[in-house]
């Protein structure tokens, strides 16, 4: 069993490396691990943080605290290894602090307090299946939470890594946290001369905006009544969607039929739960679906398809952008370039969104069908993107991303699969589940009035 030692206790590290999966891989500053490294010590900034937490919660449980990894940990890319060299010592630049709300230390409060502080010493924080870094990562702004795909969910302790620069990791000043047992207060804005106070409010608002997921910010900017802002946001949104939207799995259904998967779809849909770290984004997707419902209904009436199926596909393929093809999110100014390429073929570009949507839905054999039960709907949505995730042994993120049925693995380019990539899109089934849970739709059949 791999362990981690400090003066308080020994904890198990065997299930995780405590690394930031989206950070560039850096070569260690010294070769080998504890067996070949110089004597080690903990970074002074982390020791100061530990003392500060102990002062705020003197009776806290320390069962999952940790500092340095043992020899079995040496080959892993982890800040718990003393790979940063300072003279005769190797420096450990990470610590874990136990989640023990009953004894005064709530790791969630600690994580949020450190995140809100924007302390330049912090490299990244991992807590309860989420990670935030002090630099932008994988489409997320600096300090924004994103899913953490490590096998250890970090729900028993919070992990804090500091920067590998001596001026930062050995800076012993106190961190800007005042409590580890109560919800942090809102961003403070000191009262001052009106002009200065307005500037402070603007700065605080900008900080909060940076915590909003990038897709939401880009869509809001593209929908701005300021035409200049909207025009400049359009290309940024298009490029973001090109980089992040779901890619097609290799063609073929592997012989799968609806009857083969009916029980699975019913079981997964009934047990689907939104992951807490994504609850805000799922709520945002629901609001967008309802806001655009009239346009989806208009196309659905012509194609005899429930509006919510069209809306879910639009979210997945076009990020709610009505300037893109429903086939795959390519711009409406030309025919599709990516799979399926060359659509629509009946008329020349440019196309209206409705014209392209009808072509996409007809081309995927979705128009005029009668059965829109849960299994039939999910089967057709999964087929829309491809069944390739099944060959990789995972539930497809196209349906289940942001839920308890998905953690990592996705096609990053058409036909190219990355087992460590994590979808940043809300899955189609998750959208339908939240609509159903709120009573916005009833997924039964074509005759249902909620269609």
């Amino acid at each position: 069993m791999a362990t981690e030692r400090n003066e308080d206790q020994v904890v198990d590290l065997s299930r995780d490396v405590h690394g930031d999966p989206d950070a560039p891989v850096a070569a260690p500053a010294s070769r080998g691990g504890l067996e070949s490294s110089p004597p080690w010590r903990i970074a002074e900034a982390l020791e100061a943080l530990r003392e500060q937490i102990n002062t705020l919660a003197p009776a806290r449980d320390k069962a999952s605290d940790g500092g340095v990894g043992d020899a079995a940990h040496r080959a892993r890319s982890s800040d718990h290894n003393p790979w940063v060299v300072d003279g005769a010592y190797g420096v450990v630049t990470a610590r874990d602090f136990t989640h023990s709300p009953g004894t005064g230390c709530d790791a969630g409060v600690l994580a949020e307090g450190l995140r809100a502080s924007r302390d330049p010493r912090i490299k990244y924080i991992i807590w309860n299946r989420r990670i935030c870094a002090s630099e932008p990562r994988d489409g997320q702004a600096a300090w924004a939470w994103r899913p953490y795909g490590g096998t250890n969910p970090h729900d028993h302790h919070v992990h804090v890594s500091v920067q590998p620069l001596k001026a930062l990791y050995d800076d012993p000043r106190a961190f800007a946290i005042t409590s580890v047992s109560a919800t942090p207060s809102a961003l403070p804005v000191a009262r001052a001369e009106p002009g200065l106070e307005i500037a402070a409010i603007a700065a605080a608002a900008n900080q909060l905006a940076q915590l909003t997921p990038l897709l939401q910010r880009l869509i809001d900017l593209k929908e701005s009544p300021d035409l200049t802002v909207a025009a400049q946001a359009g290309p940024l949104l298009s490029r973001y969607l090109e980089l992040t939207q779901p890619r097609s799995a290799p063609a073929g259904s592997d012989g799968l039929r609806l009857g083969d998967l009916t029980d699975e779809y019913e079981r997964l849909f009934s047990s689907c739960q939104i992951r807490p770290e994504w609850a805000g984004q799922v709520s945002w997707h629901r609001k967008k679906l309802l806001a655009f419902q009239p346009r989806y209904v208009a196309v659905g009436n012509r194609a005899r398809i429930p509006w919510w199926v069209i809306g879910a596909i639009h979210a997945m393929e076009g990020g709610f952008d009505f300037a893109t093809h429903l086939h795959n999110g390519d711009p409406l100014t030309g025919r599709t370039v990516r799979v399926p390429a060359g659509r629509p073929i009946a008329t020349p570009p440019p196309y209206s969104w409705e014209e392209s949507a009808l072509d996409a839905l007809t081309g995927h054999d979705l128009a005029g069908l009668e059965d829109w039960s849960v299994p039939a709907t999910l089967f057709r949505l999964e087929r829309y993107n491809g069944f390739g995730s099944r060959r990789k042994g995972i539930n497809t993120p196209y349906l289940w991303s942001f839920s308890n049925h998905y953690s990592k693995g996705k096609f990053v380019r058409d036909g190219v699969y990355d087992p460590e990539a994590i979808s940043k899109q809300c899955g189609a089934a998750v959208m339908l589940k939240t609509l159903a849970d709120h009573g916005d739709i009833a997924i039964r059949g074509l005759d249902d009035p909620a269609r």
Side-chain angles (χ1 to χ4, degrees), residues 10 29 66 92-93 114 194 208 297 360 406 411 440:
V10 177
V92 175
T93 56
L114 291 172
L208 292 174
V297 168
Y406 170 80
F411 285 87
D440 303 316

Side-chain angles (χ1 to χ4, degrees), residues 229-241:
V229 171
Q232 294 184 26
L236 297 177
L237 175 60
S238 296
R239 181 57 178 161
Y240 176 83
L241 293 174

Side-chain angles (χ1 to χ4, degrees), residues 21 35 49 108 177 179 215 219 248 276 313 339 350 384 425:
E35 293 177 348
L49 177 60
I177 56 172
S179 175
L215 174 61
I219 290 177
S248 298
I313 295 173
V339 178
Y384 198 98
Q425 288 188 296

Side-chain angles (χ1 to χ4, degrees), residues 200-415:
I201 292 172
N206 287 335
Q207 286 188 35
L208 292 174
Q210 289 299 310
L211 302 180
T212 303
L214 184 55
L215 174 61
Q216 296 182 28
R217 281 185 280 150
L218 289 171
I219 290 177
D220 289 343
L221 289 170
K222 190 173 185 297
E223 295 174 354
S224 171
D226 187 319
L227 298 181
T228 301
V229 171
Q232 294 184 26
L236 297 177
L237 175 60
S238 296
R239 181 57 178 161
Y240 176 83
L241 293 174
E242 184 179 341
L243 293 171
T244 62
Q245 68 187 170
R247 301 305 188 182
S248 298
S253 64
D254 293 345
L256 293 171
R257 298 174 298 177
L258 173 57
D260 301 327
L261 303 175
T262 295
D263 291 343
E264 174 191 311
Y265 285 136
E266 290 181 340
R267 172 178 54 81
L268 290 175
F269 194 77
S270 64
S271 61
C272 177
Q273 297 180 5
I274 298 168
R275 293 174 70 115
E277 62 267 31
W278 291 116
Q281 290 205 47
V282 174
S283 176
W284 179 83
H285 278 76
R286 171 179 171 252
K287 292 176 182 177
K288 285 294 181 184
L289 289 166
L290 294 175
F292 298 139
Q293 180 179 350
R295 295 192 73 170
Y296 301 144
V297 168
V299 172
N301 287 341
R302 295 174 64 182
R304 290 183 58 78
I305 299 173
W307 71 265
W308 30 268
V309 172
I310 300 170
I313 295 173
H314 188 216
M316 297 303 299
E317 301 293 341
F320 295 114
D321 186 354
F322 286 94
T324 62
H325 285 288
L326 193 65
H327 308 73
N328 58 12
D330 285 346
L332 290 172
T333 51
R335 290 190 171 97
T336 57
V337 175
R338 294 169 297 159
V339 178
R343 305 294 305 184
I345 60 175
T347 58
Y351 305 98
S352 69
W353 180 82
E354 285 75 10
E355 181 182 6
S356 171
L358 287 169
D359 183 81
L361 298 168
T362 302
H364 280 275
D365 298 322
L366 297 179
L369 301 175
E370 295 296 323
D371 180 10
W372 289 101
S373 60
V374 166
T377 298
L378 299 187
F379 178 80
R380 290 162 189 159
L381 287 170
E382 183 170 1
R383 185 178 62 187
Y384 198 98
N385 183 247
F387 291 100
S389 293
R390 292 180 175 273
R391 294 172 226 149
K392 304 300 180 180
I394 67 167
N395 295 320
T396 174
Y398 197 84
L399 293 181
W400 305 111
S401 180
F402 291 11
S403 83
N404 56 317
H405 296 318
Y406 170 80
S407 57
K408 62 181 179 178
K410 62 174 288 192
F411 285 87
V412 294
R413 294 189 298 279
D414 288 339

Side-chain angles (χ1 to χ4, degrees), residues 54-309:
N54 288 344
T55 299
L56 292 169
R60 73 181 184 92
D61 186 359
K62 301 173 184 175
S64 291
D65 275 30
V68 67
D70 71 1
H73 213 56
R74 66 185 181 272
R76 303 176 180 181
S77 178
S78 169
D79 290 340
H80 285 290
N81 288 318
W83 281 342
V84 175
V85 176
D86 180 30
Y89 286 88
V91 182
V92 175
T93 56
R95 260 198 176 281
D96 298 332
F97 301 99
T98 304
H99 177 51
S100 57
T103 57
C105 183
D106 186 313
V109 171
L110 173 58
E112 283 298 333
L114 291 172
R115 186 172 77 106
S117 75
R118 306 294 194 273
D119 194 296
R121 291 171 290 183
I122 297 173
K123 181 181 177 184
Y124 60 83
I125 304 165
I126 309 174
W127 162 244
N128 197 19
R129 300 177 177 84
R130 297 190 297 173
I131 181 171
C132 73
S134 58
E135 299 176 355
R137 291 273 189 269
D138 199 20
Q140 297 283 5
W143 301 105
W145 288 116
R146 65 187 195 278
Y148 178 69
T151 52
N152 184 341
H154 286 73
D155 53 1
H156 291 89
H157 65 255
V158 58
H159 170 101
V160 182
S161 281
V162 292
Q163 301 285 357
L165 301 175
K166 182 175 176 59
L168 297 175
Y169 68 68
D170 272 346
D171 182 344
R173 289 177 296 172
F175 286 76
I177 56 172
T178 58
S179 175
V180 294
S181 61
T183 303
S185 59
L187 289 171
V189 177
R191 293 192 176 276
E193 188 272 326
L196 294 176
E197 191 169 344
I198 289 173
I201 292 172
N206 287 335
Q207 286 188 35
L208 292 174
Q210 289 299 310
L211 302 180
T212 303
L214 184 55
L215 174 61
Q216 296 182 28
R217 281 185 280 150
L218 289 171
I219 290 177
D220 289 343
L221 289 170
K222 190 173 185 297
E223 295 174 354
S224 171
D226 187 319
L227 298 181
T228 301
V229 171
Q232 294 184 26
L236 297 177
L237 175 60
S238 296
R239 181 57 178 161
Y240 176 83
L241 293 174
E242 184 179 341
L243 293 171
T244 62
Q245 68 187 170
R247 301 305 188 182
S248 298
S253 64
D254 293 345
L256 293 171
R257 298 174 298 177
L258 173 57
D260 301 327
L261 303 175
T262 295
D263 291 343
E264 174 191 311
Y265 285 136
E266 290 181 340
R267 172 178 54 81
L268 290 175
F269 194 77
S270 64
S271 61
C272 177
Q273 297 180 5
I274 298 168
R275 293 174 70 115
E277 62 267 31
W278 291 116
Q281 290 205 47
V282 174
S283 176
W284 179 83
H285 278 76
R286 171 179 171 252
K287 292 176 182 177
K288 285 294 181 184
L289 289 166
L290 294 175
F292 298 139
Q293 180 179 350
R295 295 192 73 170
Y296 301 144
V297 168
V299 172
N301 287 341
R302 295 174 64 182
R304 290 183 58 78
I305 299 173
W307 71 265
W308 30 268
V309 172

